[in-house]
Amino acid sequence: DLAYCGKGAWIAPTAVIKQPEKVSLDHYAYIDHYTRVASALTMGKFAKIGSHCAIIGSPGHVTLEEFAELAPACQIVTGSNNYRGDDGLIAHGVPAAYAGNPVVGPVRIGAHALFALQSIILEGTTIPEGLATGAQTLLKSTMPLASWTLYAGNPARRIGARDGTAILEKKKELLKELY
């Protein structure tokens, strides 16, 4: 069972949730077909994870605030290896005493953030409210990111501003109607 499942929340029958007890979905949150969730996950109201996405890197945690959305095939990585090989073995199933030190960090995605097809967010990254990306954008924790801004590329670069006025007004109207 999920830690929490709000009204109207939905998980596609083909989605894979490795640790459902660490997953909380607020009202109308949505996880689409063929998505794999292998980290702790908290989704706000109306947050959506598109089809074929991967949320990986246990023991990390991902938070999608309300109305945040991942288009198909996006990836969020909360844990990885340093790949230098200078601190131990890097392979699945290696006992902890022999394994390298993982690079782990939570990922927080602000309200109304939108990620286009195949965007990637790496461990320790905080995405501000209203940020949006073009397809195949790479976002890392070391990048300065601004609210209500459009980014694209690998690595991500600022493309322009987004106007969140209408979005926030419609949100206010919807939530007033529902609650």
Side-chain angles (χ1 to χ4, degrees):
D1 288 349
L2 298 178
Y4 176 75
C5 187
K7 176 183 172 186
W10 186 75
I11 300 173
T14 56
V16 175
I17 312 292
K18 283 189 71 174
Q19 299 171 313
E21 70 280 1
K22 295 182 179 181
V23 173
S24 295
L25 307 181
D26 207 338
H27 305 304
Y28 306 103
Y30 184 99
I31 299 176
D32 210 344
H33 287 278
Y34 308 105
T35 288
R36 179 179 175 81
V37 178
S39 293
L41 174 66
T42 303
M43 295 178 69
K45 292 175 183 67
F46 296 95
K48 179 184 178 189
I49 299 174
S51 64
H52 300 278
C53 288
I55 313 294
I56 59 174
S58 185
H61 188 273
V62 173
T63 301
L64 275 84
E65 294 181 3
E66 59 187 11
F67 298 94
E69 185 165 340
L70 303 177
C74 287
Q75 296 182 44
I76 300 177
V77 180
T78 63
S80 185
N81 291 295
N82 70 20
Y83 293 100
R84 291 187 306 265
D86 58 358
D87 62 353
L89 295 171
I90 300 170
H92 177 73
V94 171
Y98 303 97
N101 295 316
V103 178
V104 178
V107 171
R108 181 170 207 87
I109 297 174
H112 307 286
L114 301 173
F115 296 89
L117 185 74
Q118 297 180 337
S119 290
I120 299 171
I121 306 161
L122 297 181
E123 65 275 340
T125 304
T126 298
I127 304 298
E129 179 184 46
L131 180 143
T133 70
Q136 300 181 336
T137 299
L138 174 66
L139 297 162
K140 301 187 293 187
S141 63
T142 56
M143 298 174 164
L145 301 171
S147 298
W148 298 103
T149 303
L150 175 63
Y151 292 86
N154 181 356
R157 66 185 188 289
R158 185 181 188 281
I159 300 299
R162 293 182 72 208
D163 183 356
T165 306
I167 293 169
L168 294 174
E169 190 56 40
K170 289 295 182 185
K171 169 188 159 181
K172 183 178 175 183
E173 291 173 18
L174 174 65
L175 295 180
K176 183 178 179 182
E177 181 180 318
L178 291 175
Y179 305 105

